[in-house]
Amino acid sequence: MASGPAEADAARVRCDWARTLERSGRYDDAIRVLREALASYGQQGLADACAMTASRLAEVLARHRTSREAHAVLAAHPPAAQAPAEVRATCRLARAMALFHEGDYEAGLGAAREAQEMVEGVEASPGDAGGQGDLADGGEGHASRAALLARALAQQATCNGLLGRFDAAEAPARRALVAAERAGDPALLATVLSVLRENARRAGRYERAVAHGRRALALAEQQGRPTATAFERANLAELQLLLGDTEEADRLARAAVELAEPFGGTVLAFALTAQARVRTATEPRTAEALLTRAARCAHEGGHRQAVDEVRAARAEWEAARG
Protein backbone atom coordinates (compact mmCIF):
# COMPACT_ATOMS: atom_id res chain seq x y z
CA MET A 1 0.00 0.00 0.00
CA ALA A 2 1.38 3.42 -0.91
CA SER A 3 2.06 5.74 1.99
CA GLY A 4 0.95 9.36 2.16
CA PRO A 5 3.03 12.26 3.61
CA ALA A 6 0.24 13.13 6.06
CA GLU A 7 0.10 9.60 7.48
CA ALA A 8 3.89 9.40 7.73
CA ASP A 9 4.04 12.76 9.50
CA ALA A 10 1.31 11.70 11.94
CA ALA A 11 3.20 8.52 12.81
CA ARG A 12 6.40 10.52 13.28
CA VAL A 13 4.61 12.85 15.68
CA ARG A 14 3.32 9.87 17.66
CA CYS A 15 6.86 8.52 18.01
CA ASP A 16 8.14 11.90 19.19
CA TRP A 17 5.30 12.14 21.69
CA ALA A 18 5.91 8.59 22.94
CA ARG A 19 9.50 9.46 23.79
CA THR A 20 8.36 12.48 25.77
CA LEU A 21 5.75 10.39 27.58
CA GLU A 22 8.28 7.71 28.49
CA ARG A 23 10.84 10.16 29.82
CA SER A 24 8.17 11.79 31.98
CA GLY A 25 7.22 8.40 33.43
CA ARG A 26 3.89 7.98 31.59
CA TYR A 27 4.72 4.47 30.38
CA ASP A 28 1.22 3.18 29.67
CA ASP A 29 0.53 6.22 27.51
CA ALA A 30 3.85 5.78 25.71
CA ILE A 31 3.01 2.15 24.96
CA ARG A 32 -0.41 3.12 23.62
CA VAL A 33 1.00 5.84 21.36
CA LEU A 34 3.75 3.56 20.03
CA ARG A 35 1.16 0.90 19.22
CA GLU A 36 -0.79 3.52 17.29
CA ALA A 37 2.33 4.54 15.37
CA LEU A 38 3.15 0.91 14.64
CA ALA A 39 -0.34 0.29 13.27
CA SER A 40 -0.08 3.41 11.10
CA TYR A 41 3.25 2.37 9.60
CA GLY A 42 1.82 -1.09 8.95
CA GLN A 43 -1.13 0.37 7.05
CA GLN A 44 1.30 2.43 4.96
CA GLY A 45 3.42 -0.62 4.13
CA LEU A 46 6.62 0.89 5.59
CA ALA A 47 8.40 -2.28 6.70
CA ASP A 48 11.57 -0.66 8.05
CA ALA A 49 9.58 1.92 10.02
CA CYS A 50 7.46 -0.90 11.45
CA ALA A 51 10.53 -2.80 12.59
CA MET A 52 12.06 0.31 14.18
CA THR A 53 8.85 1.26 15.98
CA ALA A 54 8.35 -2.32 17.17
CA SER A 55 11.84 -2.18 18.65
CA ARG A 56 11.03 1.03 20.50
CA LEU A 57 7.81 -0.50 21.77
CA ALA A 58 9.56 -3.71 22.83
CA GLU A 59 12.08 -1.81 24.94
CA VAL A 60 9.37 0.11 26.77
CA LEU A 61 7.43 -3.11 27.34
CA ALA A 62 10.52 -4.90 28.65
CA ARG A 63 11.34 -2.11 31.08
CA HIS A 64 7.86 -1.39 32.36
CA ARG A 65 5.71 -4.47 31.72
CA THR A 66 7.06 -7.90 30.78
CA SER A 67 9.78 -9.27 28.54
CA ARG A 68 7.21 -11.75 27.19
CA GLU A 69 5.23 -8.89 25.65
CA ALA A 70 8.44 -7.41 24.26
CA HIS A 71 9.44 -10.67 22.56
CA ALA A 72 5.94 -11.01 21.08
CA VAL A 73 6.11 -7.55 19.48
CA LEU A 74 9.56 -8.25 18.03
CA ALA A 75 8.43 -11.59 16.65
CA ALA A 76 5.41 -9.99 15.00
CA HIS A 77 7.47 -7.28 13.26
CA PRO A 78 10.91 -8.67 12.32
CA PRO A 79 13.19 -6.67 10.01
CA ALA A 80 13.26 -7.76 6.39
CA ALA A 81 16.39 -9.55 5.20
CA GLN A 82 17.18 -6.59 2.94
CA ALA A 83 16.59 -4.00 5.69
CA PRO A 84 19.46 -1.55 6.35
CA ALA A 85 21.98 -2.66 8.96
CA GLU A 86 20.87 0.11 11.32
CA VAL A 87 17.33 -1.25 11.31
CA ARG A 88 18.45 -4.83 11.88
CA ALA A 89 20.84 -3.73 14.64
CA THR A 90 18.11 -1.77 16.40
CA CYS A 91 15.85 -4.84 16.40
CA ARG A 92 18.65 -7.04 17.73
CA LEU A 93 19.42 -4.52 20.46
CA ALA A 94 15.76 -4.49 21.51
CA ARG A 95 15.96 -8.27 21.84
CA ALA A 96 19.11 -7.87 23.94
CA MET A 97 17.26 -5.49 26.25
CA ALA A 98 14.33 -7.88 26.65
CA LEU A 99 16.69 -10.75 27.48
CA PHE A 100 18.52 -8.56 29.98
CA HIS A 101 15.33 -7.57 31.78
CA GLU A 102 14.30 -11.21 32.17
CA GLY A 103 17.71 -12.08 33.62
CA ASP A 104 19.19 -14.00 30.67
CA TYR A 105 22.42 -12.01 30.70
CA GLU A 106 24.41 -14.45 28.57
CA ALA A 107 21.90 -14.37 25.71
CA GLY A 108 21.53 -10.62 26.13
CA LEU A 109 25.29 -10.24 25.82
CA GLY A 110 25.29 -12.26 22.61
CA ALA A 111 22.48 -10.22 21.06
CA ALA A 112 24.21 -6.95 21.97
CA ARG A 113 27.43 -8.16 20.34
CA GLU A 114 25.49 -9.03 17.19
CA ALA A 115 24.02 -5.52 17.15
CA GLN A 116 27.50 -4.04 17.51
CA GLU A 117 28.81 -6.11 14.62
CA MET A 118 25.94 -5.02 12.40
CA VAL A 119 26.61 -1.35 13.14
CA GLU A 120 30.36 -1.63 12.69
CA GLY A 121 29.89 -3.50 9.42
CA VAL A 122 28.11 -0.57 7.81
CA GLU A 123 30.35 1.24 5.36
CA ALA A 124 27.68 3.70 4.25
CA SER A 125 26.82 6.86 6.13
CA PRO A 126 24.34 6.76 9.05
CA GLY A 127 21.71 8.45 6.91
CA ASP A 128 21.53 5.68 4.33
CA ALA A 129 18.67 3.85 6.05
CA GLY A 130 16.26 5.17 3.44
CA GLY A 131 14.61 7.61 5.80
CA GLN A 132 12.20 5.08 7.26
CA GLY A 133 14.38 4.54 10.30
CA ASP A 134 14.27 8.25 11.01
CA LEU A 135 10.48 8.25 10.66
CA ALA A 136 10.07 5.54 13.27
CA ASP A 137 12.84 6.93 15.42
CA GLY A 138 11.28 10.34 15.98
CA GLY A 139 14.42 12.12 14.76
CA GLU A 140 16.36 11.79 18.03
CA GLY A 141 19.23 9.70 16.72
CA HIS A 142 18.60 6.09 17.77
CA ALA A 143 19.11 5.08 14.11
CA SER A 144 22.52 6.78 14.01
CA ARG A 145 25.56 4.56 14.14
CA ALA A 146 27.07 6.40 17.10
CA ALA A 147 23.99 6.03 19.29
CA LEU A 148 23.43 2.41 18.32
CA LEU A 149 27.06 1.55 18.93
CA ALA A 150 27.01 3.23 22.33
CA ARG A 151 23.89 1.33 23.37
CA ALA A 152 25.21 -2.01 22.13
CA LEU A 153 28.53 -1.55 23.93
CA ALA A 154 26.87 -0.32 27.14
CA GLN A 155 24.58 -3.35 27.14
CA GLN A 156 27.58 -5.65 26.79
CA ALA A 157 29.32 -3.93 29.68
CA THR A 158 26.22 -4.28 31.85
CA CYS A 159 25.73 -7.96 31.06
CA ASN A 160 29.42 -8.74 31.63
CA GLY A 161 29.27 -6.99 34.98
CA LEU A 162 26.21 -8.92 36.09
CA LEU A 163 27.88 -12.15 34.98
CA GLY A 164 30.85 -11.30 37.21
CA ARG A 165 33.19 -10.61 34.28
CA PHE A 166 34.33 -7.24 35.55
CA ASP A 167 37.49 -6.99 33.46
CA ALA A 168 35.53 -7.79 30.29
CA ALA A 169 33.11 -4.98 31.13
CA GLU A 170 35.76 -2.25 31.13
CA ALA A 171 36.64 -1.91 27.44
CA PRO A 172 33.08 -1.81 26.05
CA ALA A 173 32.08 0.69 28.74
CA ARG A 174 34.91 3.04 27.78
CA ARG A 175 34.08 2.71 24.08
CA ALA A 176 30.40 3.31 24.85
CA LEU A 177 31.24 6.62 26.54
CA VAL A 178 33.14 7.86 23.47
CA ALA A 179 30.29 6.85 21.17
CA ALA A 180 27.61 8.35 23.45
CA GLU A 181 29.41 11.69 23.61
CA ARG A 182 29.69 11.67 19.83
CA ALA A 183 25.98 10.91 19.48
CA GLY A 184 25.05 13.97 21.54
CA ASP A 185 22.04 12.36 23.29
CA PRO A 186 22.00 13.35 27.01
CA ALA A 187 19.71 10.45 27.96
CA LEU A 188 22.02 7.95 26.28
CA LEU A 189 25.06 9.56 27.88
CA ALA A 190 23.42 9.23 31.31
CA THR A 191 22.82 5.54 30.66
CA VAL A 192 26.46 4.95 29.76
CA LEU A 193 27.64 6.91 32.80
CA SER A 194 25.46 4.64 34.95
CA VAL A 195 27.29 1.63 33.50
CA LEU A 196 30.65 3.24 34.24
CA ARG A 197 29.47 3.99 37.77
CA GLU A 198 28.63 0.35 38.38
CA ASN A 199 31.96 -0.82 36.96
CA ALA A 200 33.82 1.55 39.25
CA ARG A 201 31.78 0.47 42.27
CA ARG A 202 32.41 -3.22 41.64
CA ALA A 203 36.14 -2.45 41.35
CA GLY A 204 36.09 -0.63 44.70
CA ARG A 205 36.79 2.77 43.14
CA TYR A 206 34.03 4.52 45.03
CA GLU A 207 35.09 8.12 44.49
CA ARG A 208 35.23 7.57 40.74
CA ALA A 209 31.87 5.85 40.90
CA VAL A 210 30.38 8.86 42.70
CA ALA A 211 31.77 11.19 40.02
CA HIS A 212 30.13 9.16 37.25
CA GLY A 213 26.92 8.89 39.27
CA ARG A 214 26.64 12.60 39.97
CA ARG A 215 27.13 13.40 36.29
CA ALA A 216 24.46 10.85 35.35
CA LEU A 217 22.10 12.30 37.99
CA ALA A 218 22.60 15.84 36.69
CA LEU A 219 21.74 14.72 33.16
CA ALA A 220 18.64 12.85 34.32
CA GLU A 221 17.45 15.90 36.26
CA GLN A 222 18.13 18.24 33.34
CA GLN A 223 16.15 15.98 31.01
CA GLY A 224 13.18 15.85 33.41
CA ARG A 225 13.28 12.05 33.71
CA PRO A 226 11.81 11.19 37.12
CA THR A 227 12.43 7.43 37.16
CA ALA A 228 16.00 7.81 35.92
CA THR A 229 16.57 10.51 38.54
CA ALA A 230 15.22 8.27 41.31
CA PHE A 231 17.38 5.39 40.13
CA GLU A 232 20.54 7.55 40.12
CA ARG A 233 19.77 8.94 43.59
CA ALA A 234 19.33 5.41 44.94
CA ASN A 235 22.66 4.30 43.55
CA LEU A 236 24.44 7.38 44.86
CA ALA A 237 22.91 6.72 48.28
CA GLU A 238 24.50 3.27 48.36
CA LEU A 239 27.85 4.71 47.26
CA GLN A 240 27.76 7.35 49.99
CA LEU A 241 27.01 4.61 52.47
CA LEU A 242 30.09 2.71 51.30
CA LEU A 243 32.12 5.89 51.79
CA GLY A 244 30.78 6.25 55.33
CA ASP A 245 28.64 9.35 54.78
CA THR A 246 25.41 8.02 56.26
CA GLU A 247 23.74 11.43 56.47
CA GLU A 248 24.12 12.09 52.74
CA ALA A 249 23.21 8.48 51.98
CA ASP A 250 19.98 8.82 53.93
CA ARG A 251 19.12 12.11 52.24
CA LEU A 252 19.61 10.64 48.78
CA ALA A 253 17.70 7.45 49.60
CA ARG A 254 14.72 9.35 51.01
CA ALA A 255 14.67 11.60 47.94
CA ALA A 256 14.82 8.55 45.66
CA VAL A 257 11.88 6.87 47.39
CA GLU A 258 9.81 10.05 47.36
CA LEU A 259 10.34 10.49 43.62
CA ALA A 260 9.78 6.81 42.80
CA GLU A 261 6.56 6.41 44.83
CA PRO A 262 4.10 7.31 42.05
CA PHE A 263 5.69 4.84 39.64
CA GLY A 264 6.05 1.76 41.84
CA GLY A 265 7.52 -1.39 40.31
CA THR A 266 11.20 -1.67 39.54
CA VAL A 267 12.31 1.89 40.21
CA LEU A 268 10.62 1.93 43.62
CA ALA A 269 12.15 -1.46 44.43
CA PHE A 270 15.65 -0.09 43.86
CA ALA A 271 14.91 3.07 45.87
CA LEU A 272 13.46 1.14 48.81
CA THR A 273 16.40 -1.26 48.77
CA ALA A 274 18.84 1.63 48.96
CA GLN A 275 16.93 3.15 51.88
CA ALA A 276 16.86 -0.22 53.64
CA ARG A 277 20.62 -0.59 53.32
CA VAL A 278 21.08 2.85 54.86
CA ARG A 279 18.74 1.99 57.75
CA THR A 280 19.98 -1.57 58.41
CA ALA A 281 22.51 -0.58 61.06
CA THR A 282 20.46 2.09 62.83
CA GLU A 283 16.82 1.03 62.36
CA PRO A 284 16.75 -2.70 61.59
CA ARG A 285 12.98 -3.07 61.94
CA THR A 286 12.37 -0.18 59.56
CA ALA A 287 14.89 -1.70 57.17
CA GLU A 288 13.09 -5.04 57.27
CA ALA A 289 9.76 -3.41 56.41
CA LEU A 290 11.39 -1.52 53.56
CA LEU A 291 12.85 -4.74 52.16
CA THR A 292 9.51 -6.51 52.37
CA ARG A 293 7.91 -3.76 50.35
CA ALA A 294 10.88 -3.65 47.94
CA ALA A 295 10.51 -7.37 47.26
CA ARG A 296 6.86 -6.91 46.39
CA CYS A 297 7.67 -4.04 44.01
CA ALA A 298 10.51 -5.97 42.38
CA HIS A 299 8.25 -8.93 41.63
CA GLU A 300 5.55 -6.62 40.31
CA GLY A 301 8.09 -4.96 38.01
CA GLY A 302 9.39 -8.32 36.79
CA HIS A 303 13.00 -7.11 36.68
CA ARG A 304 15.44 -9.91 37.55
CA GLN A 305 18.21 -7.55 38.67
CA ALA A 306 15.84 -5.76 41.06
CA VAL A 307 14.75 -9.09 42.55
CA ASP A 308 18.39 -10.09 43.02
CA GLU A 309 19.26 -6.74 44.62
CA VAL A 310 16.48 -7.09 47.18
CA ARG A 311 17.61 -10.63 48.03
CA ALA A 312 21.21 -9.45 48.46
CA ALA A 313 20.09 -6.60 50.72
CA ARG A 314 17.98 -9.06 52.75
CA ALA A 315 21.03 -11.28 53.22
CA GLU A 316 23.04 -8.26 54.37
CA TRP A 317 20.28 -7.36 56.84
CA GLU A 318 20.24 -10.90 58.24
CA ALA A 319 24.03 -10.90 58.60
CA ALA A 320 23.91 -7.56 60.43
CA ARG A 321 21.33 -9.00 62.83
CA GLY A 322 23.75 -11.80 63.69
Side-chain angles (χ1 to χ4, degrees):
M1 181 184 297
S3 63
E7 290 85 355
D9 286 345
R12 186 200 300 269
V13 168
R14 286 190 179 99
C15 288
D16 282 338
W17 179 232
R19 194 178 302 282
T20 300
L21 290 168
E22 184 185 5
R23 290 183 175 179
S24 63
R26 295 171 60 186
Y27 305 117
D28 289 339
D29 288 334
I31 289 167
R32 174 182 53 79
V33 171
L34 283 171
R35 288 194 189 279
E36 292 171 353
L38 180 57
S40 177
Y41 282 130
Q43 291 170 358
Q44 296 169 64
L46 296 176
D48 291 347
C50 275
M52 293 289 286
T53 307
S55 297
R56 282 271 308 280
L57 176 59
E59 291 195 24
V60 182
L61 287 168
R63 287 191 185 100
H64 307 296
R65 288 194 182 173
T66 68
S67 60
R68 178 182 54 79
E69 291 179 86
H71 286 303
V73 167
L74 292 172
H77 302 279
Q82 69 273 20
E86 289 92 339
V87 175
R88 290 182 282 112
T90 299
C91 295
R92 192 54 55 92
L93 188 54
R95 181 173 184 272
M97 293 292 292
L99 290 165
F100 161 73
H101 281 286
E102 68 189 31
D104 193 346
Y105 305 132
E106 196 70 65
L109 176 62
R113 282 175 176 160
E114 290 171 358
Q116 175 196 347
E117 290 166 2
M118 290 175 186
V119 176
E120 291 180 332
V122 177
E123 295 180 357
S125 68
D128 284 348
Q132 292 188 34
D134 290 335
L135 283 174
D137 174 62
E140 291 196 14
H142 277 242
S144 74
R145 288 180 64 193
L148 277 171
L149 183 61
R151 295 179 65 222
L153 290 165
Q155 193 61 40
Q156 290 176 54
T158 299
C159 288
N160 273 318
L162 289 167
L163 287 166
R165 302 167 188 165
F166 306 131
D167 291 340
E170 286 293 332
R174 288 195 299 269
R175 288 191 61 198
L177 180 61
V178 173
E181 289 176 332
R182 188 167 70 248
D185 182 346
L188 174 59
L189 182 57
T191 297
V192 174
L193 287 165
S194 293
V195 175
L196 289 166
R197 180 202 65 232
E198 284 305 296
N199 283 347
R201 175 161 76 167
R202 292 185 185 108
R205 297 191 294 268
Y206 300 140
E207 294 287 357
R208 182 178 299 182
V210 168
H212 289 314
R214 290 208 175 277
R215 189 179 174 195
L217 175 59
L219 286 168
E221 290 174 337
Q222 290 166 12
Q223 291 289 300
R225 301 168 63 205
T227 56
T229 299
F231 183 77
E232 295 302 333
R233 286 175 178 171
N235 278 280
L236 279 171
E238 295 194 4
L239 282 167
Q240 294 294 345
L241 185 63
L242 289 169
L243 288 168
D245 190 344
T246 55
E247 183 176 342
E248 176 65 2
D250 188 61
R251 184 191 70 78
L252 285 164
R254 283 187 287 107
V257 171
E258 181 180 353
L259 191 57
E261 282 281 3
F263 304 101
T266 300
V267 65
L268 184 56
F270 278 114
L272 290 166
T273 300
Q275 190 175 34
R277 281 181 163 135
V278 174
R279 301 288 178 87
T280 289
T282 58
E283 301 176 38
R285 289 187 178 179
T286 299
E288 183 182 20
L290 290 167
L291 289 171
T292 298
R293 189 177 175 209
R296 185 167 58 251
C297 291
H299 284 288
E300 288 172 357
H303 193 304
R304 173 65 182 275
Q305 187 184 359
V307 172
D308 290 344
E309 278 297 310
V310 176
R311 286 174 179 167
R314 171 73 69 172
E316 293 163 12
W317 179 87
E318 290 174 352
R321 294 282 290 170

